[in-house]
Amino acid sequence: GTAEENQAIFLINTAQPALLSRCSAVVHLGSPALLARALLAGVPNVLFPSFSDQHYWAWRMRELGLEPTGEPV
């Protein structure tokens, strides 16, 4: 597709607070730091936990109604 059609951006290092405020949503593993920054930016989070406390944060977000509902992956 064209650059205008591509809407996903993958970054390694960036100033997260400045970037997150420009996002429509944030898809991530569920690290507490990124989760907190995305919540403070006021953007929806979609978590795909893989290990450790990421599963807890994904569960907690669903319990609080702060993550879109759907079928678990």
Side-chain angles (χ1 to χ4, degrees):
T2 66
E4 293 80 24
E5 292 172 345
N6 296 327
Q7 298 297 313
I9 299 172
F10 299 91
L11 300 171
I12 302 297
N13 293 313
T14 187
Q16 288 180 346
L19 175 67
L20 294 174
S21 64
R22 300 178 57 136
C23 293
S24 299
V26 180
V27 179
H28 58 100
L29 296 173
S31 76
L34 181 54
L35 179 58
R37 289 181 185 128
L39 288 170
L40 287 172
V43 296
N45 285 267
V46 178
L47 279 65
F48 289 93
S50 63
F51 66 94
S52 188
D53 63 341
Q54 295 171 350
H55 293 281
Y56 168 78
W57 291 113
W59 168 81
R60 189 68 179 132
M61 291 290 291
R62 285 188 303 274
E63 288 292 307
L64 294 172
L66 297 173
E67 184 181 30
T69 59
E71 293 297 317
V73 175

